[in-house]
Amino acid sequence: QVHFVESGGGLVQPGGSLRLSCAASGFSFRTYSMTWYRQAPGKERELVATINVDDSTNYTDSVKDRFTISRDNAKNTVYLQMNSLKFEDTAVYFCNGRLPWSSWGQGTQVTVSS
């Protein structure tokens, strides 16, 4: 059964940094593109960043040059380093496949506030 456990969120001031982690299980992690998503209050879930099996990456425009996605196949874990955080980055962050499974983790809350 596919399972995701996200962690690392918290309260941070604008301009601050956080590193999110997502431990995945139940599938062959190294053979899948992995994606971080986020959902802000009252908004649809949106794609934030993707890392492919060849370690190539893609980012939504609003986080380019601020966020970095990475993966550790030995640990079945995907990371999201978030720098220069803005108020509009406040959301619950989730990981899943680039073509997401129906099973989602609980997410990790990121709140950017002064």
Side-chain angles (χ1 to χ4, degrees):
Q1 184 176 358
V2 174
H3 193 55
F4 303 101
V5 179
E6 300 91 350
S7 62
L11 174 63
V12 63
Q13 292 185 341
S17 298
L18 285 173
R19 188 191 192 211
L20 307 184
S21 300
C22 172
S25 61
F27 62 101
S28 182
F29 180 83
R30 65 177 62 246
T31 66
Y32 283 85
S33 295
M34 294 299 298
T35 295
W36 280 97
Y37 302 82
R38 66 185 179 187
Q39 187 166 19
K43 294 189 177 181
E44 296 285 324
R45 188 172 294 168
E46 66 169 343
L47 184 153
V48 175
T50 295
I51 184 164
N52 298 305
V53 295
D54 62 356
D55 287 340
S56 61
T57 57
N58 302 94
Y59 299 90
T60 192
D61 285 346
S62 62
V63 308
K64 282 180 181 177
D65 300 323
R66 299 190 298 121
F67 290 11
T68 303
I69 188 171
S70 61
R71 66 191 298 161
D72 185 337
N73 290 334
K75 296 182 178 180
N76 286 6
T77 298
V78 59
Y79 303 96
L80 187 68
Q81 177 67 44
M82 306 187 297
N83 298 328
S84 302
L85 282 161
K86 303 178 179 180
F87 294 120
E88 52 264 40
D89 295 318
T90 294
V92 180
Y93 285 71
F94 303 86
C95 75
N96 208 313
R98 177 60 184 91
L99 297 176
W101 282 272
S102 59
S103 175
W104 291 82
Q106 82 287 349
T108 188
Q109 175 71 49
V110 172
T111 303
V112 184
S113 176
S114 55

